[in-house]
Structure formats: structure tokens, C-alpha cells
Amino acid sequence: MKLIYRIAVALTAALSVSVAVWAVLFYFAMVDEINDETDDSLVEYSSDLIRRSLAGVAMPSEDNGTNNAYYIREVSEDYAAHIKWMRFRDEEKFITAMSEYESARVIYRIFKDDDGYRELVVAVPTFEKNDLKRSIFRWMAVLYICLMILIIGLSLWVVEYNMRPFKALLKWLEDFSPGKPREPLPSDSGIEEYRKLSDVIRKAAERLDNQFLEQKRFIGNASHELQTPLASCIHRIEMLLDSETLTEEQGRELVKVLHSLNHLVKLNRTLLMLTRIENGQFPDVKEMDFSVLADRSISMLEDVYRHRNIRVLKSVGSPFVFTMNEQLAGVLASNLFKNAFVHSPSGSEIRFEMSVSGFSVSNPGNAPLDREKIFTRFYQGQSGAEGSTGLGLAIVDSICRSYGLKAEYEFSEGRHIFSIISVSFHFPAPTLHR
Amino acid sequence: MKILIIEDDPSLLESMTAALKKDGHVVETASDYPSAIDRLGVYAYDCALVDIMLPGGSGLDILGYIRENCRKTNVIIISAKDSLDDKVKGLELGADDYLPKPFHLAELSARIRSVYRRSRNDGDFTYRAGNVVLDPDTNKVTVDGKDLPLLKKEFDILAYFMQRPGHLVDKEVLAEAVWGDHIDQTDNFQFLYAQVKNLRKKLQESGADIELKAVYGFGYKLKV
């Protein structure tokens, strides 16, 4: 959930509760105030009536234009002893002057004249509670909506406005990739927290950069340093193999050692190649027609894998032409096709499709491979073909990334499909740095 | 041939020396920049193998020195840095060849031979072994003066061996040389065996006195 939505929801919830509580309190305060006023006038009026009644003066007529209604009744002494002498109640009363039942405030007063105890009941029509509730509710709703719009609008604007540096930092982080050239980190915010955040991010990025470069350098140096001792080992074994006194058994053992060494050499060479691709050490580019490269790879591999009887089904719409380094283009095509040949069962079919925006190579398989890992170094699928370095597809991916091509894998209808797609038709020069 | 090896790793220096001596060359060594310059200043060599990274200076400087002072010496750069930059720079500075580490002894031997052949300038670029003559310019092979028709791949294989007579050649290396750079990962060399078998048969039938000898299932060796 976006922070801004979260703020809006929280504000809405808090406002709803507080406005509701406020509405209830407001209602009771209103009622209390109105009753207070009404009761005062009722007391005064009833006192006047009692005075008149005690003095034997003529009582005001029922229909005196005040909408008040009153009557006096006799009550027992016992009743008078057990009840408060002055009580107020809210009742529905029939107001004669208005000829209908109305919400009324009613005062009950006990007084005593010569004949005994009497109770004066005076009713005055007052406000309709439901009307008041409705009215308060309506106005609260209006207030609530206005407040909501105002507060949420304001806070969204404030958040949005103040989050701009944060968003710029986020965008920068999204684009961040260690060891790649990039825009300077935005750090011109006047807000201290953002400045600190920007500082921390910059330091972390520098650390990552250094680690990345260090690691790259290490791999490169380690691979270089290995070359000389490897050469020396290979030479010694080759010389031993040439020796006349060697028994056949010893020779076979030595050949195994030599095979392992050769594998090591291949691994080392491939790792060096990866490092060089990532360092942008293949600067010369020219227009490469991948249909030609593909044909070359296919004819070579068909020769090599003739015993496996693998067919290649070609469907070349228009040739895919891309400006890149010649050697890398060759490696890209041959690695993809080699991968397909190596992992195809005997007698199966490799499909090769090409359009102006890219090409794909597919071979049959049983289960999908891990999409996340397929292009990483040393990932071996289920087959783990002998002699495979596990670096072929990593090189494909590395080459693609350095030229803004996209290497994709998908498993569909029992086939592993590897696609190389040009992201845009406007081919930029490689963006690698040295 | 008189060869100077300039290499700082004693173990590699020793193995290269032994292998080249076995090939019949006269070998001298230097393991750093000053001693290399000293030797080059005093003696004349047919070929110098120069490692780029040396204590006391760069192999490229030695190359510059050789080009200025010893015009007749062929230079093969040997470098652990298999990088285009080094290669281009080396060749621009006048190196005759560039050999990235690690290399096979057979390859070293072939490169020296080929550099030497090119520098001889006597117009004969054919390879000879026993009664077999292979001309890489016309793609023709003769046995005792008679034409031996070979298919393209058979010719390439024979040429590869004739450039490295007496040396053990790994079948994987051979496959890479003949079928292309990226032939690794294959676990089956049927395609190679078939071609070698045909080549052997043709050589035998034509009465050639050279033989492709299989070695421990690892590779082959051209025996005269």
C-alpha cells in the first residue's frame, strides 16, 4: 500500500471516530441547554399558576396563545409524601391549542392548598428530539466531509511535496547497479532526514561499488595469475606423455590429469572472458547478421553431433542484424546453439526462429529450469552435461546486457526456449565503461 | 634455431626450455628485463619468446628494443593476459605472433616453426614430413610426388599435425582447431574419429611413411 493511501485511510478512520464522538457530545450538550431554558420558563409559569390558584385568581384559559397546556389534579397525601415536589419529564402530550400530540417538556409540581395536596402539570411543546438528531447528524456529515476533503487534501499535498526528495532517492536506487556509470545522487534537499538518508545511501553505494570492482579485479587477477602455473603443469604432463619409459597405465592416468587441467583452463578462460565483457574490453563493433552466424554455428554443431541425429528446424523471417563486437556475436550465437545441442536428446528437434527484432532457439526438455538462475554462473540444470563449464549462458546474458539486448528463458509445451530480443530498434553503442 | 625465452616463472621457463631443446633448438633464457636486454645486446637469436609481465620492465619494451636493435630476431609474445589490447599492441609494435597462456607445447612448437618459415623468405611454404608434402597455399598434398586427394576436414587435420610433427595433440584441441573455436562441451568425438580414420586409410593406401598414432585415447601424434 502506498504511504499516501495509508495516511488517507488512517486520517479517515481517526476523523470518523472523533467526529462521531463529537456529534454525540454536541447532541447532549444541545439538549441539555434547551431543556435548561425550557425548565426555567416552566418553573416561572407554574409558580405563577400556583400563586393564582392559591390566591383564587382566575386561571388563564387553555387557549391563551402560548401553546402551553396545564391542569391541576388532586393527589393523596401519601403520593405527595413519596414524590419529589418538582419534577421534569419529556413526554408526548396532547396540546389543545395545537390539537395534536407534540413532544413536550412537562413539569410536575406538588402544592398544598386548604383542601389538600394538588399536582400542577404544565406541558410546553419543545423540540422534536429526532429532528434534532437528524439535523445534527446532517450537519456533522457535512462537516465531516468538508473536514475530510480539507485535511486529506492538505496532508496529501504536504506529504507529496515533502516526499519529492525521497522519491528522487528511490528512483536513483532503482536505477542503481554496482559498477555502472550513473547520475549523481540527489542530495540537495533542505530536510535533514533526507540529507542523512542520501548520505547513507551514497556511502552504501560507494561501498558496493568498491566491493564489486574489487571482486571483479580479484576474479580477473586470479584468472591471470593461474595461467602461468597452468601452462607449466600442462607442459610437464605433455612431456611425461612423450616419455618412452611411461607405462600405458601411467599414461592413462596422466591423460585424466590433463583432462582435468584442460577443464580448468577452459573455466579460467571463460571466467576471464566474462570479466572482459563486463569491463567492456571488446570495443570494436560492426553490423552482425545473426542469420549468417546461426548458420555457421548450426553447420558446425550438426557435424559434431551427427551421431545424435538432431534435426534443426529453421524458420527465419527476416534476418536479425545488430551492431556489436564480431567475436562476441559469434560467441553469443554459438553458445546458444551449443546449449541447445548439448541438452537435446538423440533424434530430437531443435527449433530456430528469427525475426527482425531477435531470435530464439529451443530444445525439448522435461521440466522447466529455474528462470532466476538459468543465466547465472555455474548453474547446471538437471542434465549437467560432462565437460560443460556452466558458464555458457552466463556469457550469453553478460553479452546481451552489455549491448542492451534481452536474454530470456521460458518453458512451454515441453521445450526450453531461449530468446534474444533487441529491446529497441535504435541500437545504442555499448554502454560499458572501462 | 637459436631461441631466447624471456619468462619470469622458473617452472614454466624450465618446461619450455626442455620442450624446445627436444625439438632440436638451441635455447637460452632470461628471467627479467635487464638480463634479457643484456643477452639481446650480446648474442643474436632467431627467435625470442617474450612474456609481457616481467620483473623490472614490460615485455613490450623488450619488443621495442628488439625491433630497433636486432632486426632479424622473430618475436612471439607470450602473455597471461589474453586481451585484445595486448595482442594488438604487441603486433603493432612488430611482434610476429601472440601466444596466450596457457598453451600446449605442440602449439608453441608450431608457432615457432611458422614464424620461422615466414621469415625465411625463400618461397617454400610447404610442410614436409617423410614422403608427404603439404602445401597450405594450394591445399594440395602429395605422397612421393603423387597427388593425394583429401576432403577439406581431412586436409585441415593433416595440416595441423604436419605443423606439429612428433607432438602429442589433444583431440579436443584438434577439434577446436579444425571445427571452430567453441567446440568444447562435447562428450563425443565420433565426428573426429571418423575423419581421422578416413585420413589414416588414405595415407596408408597412398604409401605414405607417416602415421597418425593414437595416444591413450587422449589424442594423436604424427610419427615419421
Side-chain angles (χ1 to χ4, degrees):
Chain A
M1 189 188 238
K2 268 191 159 182
L3 176 66
I4 216 151
Y5 297 145
R6 170 147 289 193
I7 289 175
V9 167
L11 278 177
T12 313
L15 263 182
S16 312
V17 173
S18 53
V19 168
V21 169
W22 163 250
V24 171
L25 290 177
F26 182 71
Y27 168 77
F28 282 110
M30 275 309 261
V31 168
D32 205 46
E33 186 60 31
I34 297 171
N35 282 348
D36 199 41
E37 289 294 318
T38 318
D39 293 352
D40 280 352
S41 71
L42 274 175
V43 168
E44 212 158 292
Y45 186 55
S46 59
S47 299
D48 184 47
L49 286 176
I50 292 171
R51 261 197 306 278
R52 284 179 182 229
S53 163
L54 290 177
V57 181
M59 301 296 276
S61 78
E62 285 277 306
D63 187 15
N64 59 359
T66 58
N67 281 350
N68 294 341
Y70 74 91
Y71 60 87
I72 296 170
R73 60 177 182 141
E74 277 181 38
V75 290
S76 66
E77 189 175 345
D78 188 42
Y79 175 83
H82 286 96
I83 205 145
K84 276 175 81 179
W85 280 36
M86 184 155 76
R87 290 175 290 136
F88 298 97
R89 280 169 66 179
D90 293 316
E91 284 174 11
E92 288 290 310
K93 280 276 176 201
F94 188 81
I95 308 291
T96 330
M98 297 170 73
S99 307
E100 59 182 351
Y101 281 96
E102 284 279 322
S103 293
R105 186 73 178 167
V106 184
I107 186 168
Y108 291 83
R109 282 187 81 168
I110 308 283
F111 65 96
K112 196 181 167 203
D113 62 8
D114 299 340
D115 300 329
Y117 290 98
R118 290 172 195 282
E119 188 179 50
L120 168 69
V121 180
V122 185
V124 59
T126 177
F127 62 95
E128 191 81 51
K129 273 196 178 155
N130 284 335
D131 283 354
L132 183 70
K133 277 182 198 161
R134 250 198 309 280
S135 178
I136 287 180
F137 178 78
R138 202 163 39 239
W139 284 105
M140 281 297 154
V142 172
L143 177 72
Y144 176 73
I145 290 167
C146 291
L147 270 179
M148 282 298 297
I149 291 172
L150 191 70
I151 292 179
I152 290 180
L154 261 179
S155 29
L156 292 195
W157 179 76
V158 167
V159 168
E160 194 75 13
Y161 183 80
N162 288 301
M163 291 276 274
R164 280 180 318 170
F166 185 71
K167 283 192 172 166
L169 283 175
L170 262 188
K171 168 91 179 56
W172 187 90
L173 269 178
E174 267 174 3
D175 295 341
F176 174 76
S177 149
K180 292 271 151 71
R182 53 178 171 264
E183 305 270 299
L185 184 70
S187 61
D188 51 349
S189 166
I191 300 168
E192 195 187 336
E193 283 86 346
Y194 289 146
R195 268 210 313 276
K196 269 190 187 162
L197 184 62
S198 159
D199 244 24
V200 172
I201 291 176
R202 199 188 53 248
K203 278 179 194 151
E206 276 166 9
R207 219 165 30 237
L208 273 176
D209 262 351
N210 284 337
Q211 276 173 3
F212 180 80
L213 287 177
E214 199 61 37
Q215 197 187 359
K216 211 161 70 171
R217 222 172 285 145
F218 172 77
I219 294 173
N221 285 344
S223 301
H224 278 144
E225 292 302 325
L226 279 173
Q227 307 280 48
T228 307
L230 274 175
S232 178
C233 287
I234 289 171
H235 295 175
R236 269 151 214 283
I237 291 176
E238 282 176 342
M239 278 156 63
L240 267 178
L241 282 171
D242 259 352
S243 136
E244 300 294 329
T245 54
L246 197 70
T247 68
E248 173 137 2
E249 194 189 338
Q250 287 168 335
R252 290 194 186 281
E253 287 305 309
L254 279 177
V255 163
K256 283 179 198 161
V257 177
L258 200 48
H259 267 299
S260 301
L261 274 173
N262 281 344
H263 185 65
L264 199 57
V265 167
K266 217 179 292 170
L267 262 179
N268 204 34
R269 203 178 288 156
T270 316
L271 274 176
L272 267 175
M273 173 152 211
L274 265 172
T275 312
R276 283 163 57 206
I277 293 169
E278 278 160 18
N279 286 349
Q281 284 170 338
F282 293 91
D284 301 330
V285 293
K286 63 191 241 187
E287 273 202 352
M288 300 305 304
D289 181 345
F290 274 87
S291 63
V292 175
L293 292 173
D295 282 344
R296 204 179 297 161
S297 291
I298 290 169
S299 77
M300 176 190 90
L301 288 160
E302 272 180 338
D303 210 5
V304 172
Y305 288 94
R306 180 145 294 144
H307 64 284
R308 298 253 295 269
N309 194 24
I310 295 168
R311 291 181 310 281
V312 179
L313 193 76
K314 286 187 233 178
S315 136
V316 177
S318 42
F320 173 54
V321 179
F322 195 80
T323 304
M324 65 187 292
N325 180 272
E326 187 174 3
Q327 193 189 348
L328 292 187
V331 171
L332 177 63
S334 84
N335 276 13
L336 272 177
F337 283 105
K338 196 157 63 191
N339 183 68
F341 270 94
V342 168
H343 298 290
S344 288
S346 293
S348 63
E349 187 179 82
I350 289 172
R351 287 182 202 155
F352 165 50
E353 284 167 30
M354 181 176 275
S355 77
V356 72
S357 61
F359 64 98
S360 73
V361 183
S362 74
N363 61 291
N366 300 323
L369 301 165
D370 190 337
R371 281 179 80 149
E372 299 294 314
K373 291 192 187 143
I374 184 97
F375 290 112
T376 58
R377 298 175 187 193
F378 301 117
Y379 174 78
Q380 303 270 16
Q382 299 95 333
S383 56
E386 198 204 335
S388 155
T389 55
L391 289 169
L393 290 176
I395 286 200
V396 166
D397 188 49
S398 190
I399 293 174
C400 285
R401 273 189 288 122
S402 67
Y403 285 99
L405 286 167
K406 240 174 130 179
E408 281 181 348
Y409 165 77
E410 93 184 281
F411 185 79
S412 133
E413 292 169 10
R415 300 188 74 82
H416 302 295
I417 306 170
F418 294 89
S419 319
I420 304 298
I421 301 155
S422 117
V423 180
S424 70
F425 280 87
H426 183 267
F427 304 131
T431 52
L432 290 165
H433 68 294
R434 297 198 140 225
Chain B
M1 243 198 286
K2 195 173 174 190
I3 298 172
L4 175 65
I5 308 176
I6 308 166
E7 161 66 56
D8 63 320
D9 184 78
S11 174
L12 186 63
L13 188 60
E14 191 197 322
S15 64
M16 284 166 72
T17 309
L20 293 181
K21 276 187 177 161
K22 208 174 155 223
D23 271 359
H25 300 296
V26 177
V27 182
E28 289 183 9
T29 64
S31 53
D32 56 22
Y33 179 85
S35 62
I37 296 292
D38 281 355
R39 285 201 171 275
L40 285 164
V42 179
Y43 306 102
Y45 297 94
D46 297 311
C47 183
L49 306 175
V50 184
D51 186 12
I52 286 197
M53 283 191 285
L54 283 173
S58 161
L60 292 175
D61 295 337
I62 294 181
L63 173 58
Y65 177 87
I66 293 175
R67 279 293 150 261
E68 268 182 33
N69 301 294
C70 345
R71 302 211 139 265
K72 287 207 154 172
T73 306
N74 295 304
V75 179
I76 298 176
I77 298 270
I78 292 171
S79 171
K81 274 194 177 164
D82 179 14
S83 80
L84 207 63
D85 275 359
D86 273 3
K87 188 172 179 175
V88 169
K89 215 184 280 171
L91 295 180
E92 268 176 3
L93 278 172
D96 297 280
D97 206 347
Y98 179 92
L99 190 58
K101 285 183 193 172
F103 47 85
H104 294 274
L105 288 174
E107 193 59 33
L108 177 66
S109 164
R111 297 290 182 100
I112 291 175
R113 199 180 304 253
S114 131
V115 161
Y116 181 64
R117 269 161 42 84
R118 268 185 273 153
S119 72
R120 258 189 339 204
N121 247 344
D122 57 4
D124 181 13
F125 290 120
T126 57
Y127 291 96
R128 292 162 194 279
N131 57 357
V132 180
V133 179
L134 181 142
D135 188 344
D137 293 332
T138 58
N139 286 355
K140 273 198 174 155
V141 178
T142 56
V143 178
D144 265 343
K146 278 177 287 179
D147 268 355
L148 173 63
L150 291 178
L151 296 174
K152 172 93 172 69
K153 289 279 190 284
E154 292 164 358
F155 179 87
D156 290 345
I157 293 172
L158 183 60
Y160 195 80
F161 280 108
M162 295 211 30
Q163 288 161 30
R164 297 155 181 80
H167 276 282
L168 175 60
V169 173
D170 184 347
K171 62 188 177 200
E172 242 177 90
V173 175
L174 176 64
E176 268 187 40
V178 175
W179 273 266
D181 255 356
H182 309 289
I183 196 97
D184 51 8
Q185 285 194 15
T186 178
D187 48 356
N188 188 312
F189 285 90
Q190 281 305 328
F191 62 102
L192 182 71
Y193 301 149
Q195 299 283 356
V196 170
K197 198 177 144 200
N198 290 342
L199 177 61
R200 274 172 162 169
K201 204 172 142 202
K202 285 185 182 173
L203 283 174
Q204 207 183 1
E205 281 170 357
S206 67
D209 55 6
I210 59 172
E211 185 200 353
L212 287 180
K213 198 175 162 241
V215 183
Y216 312 122
F218 168 74
Y220 302 91
K221 200 192 248 187
L222 182 75
K223 278 218 152 182
V224 183

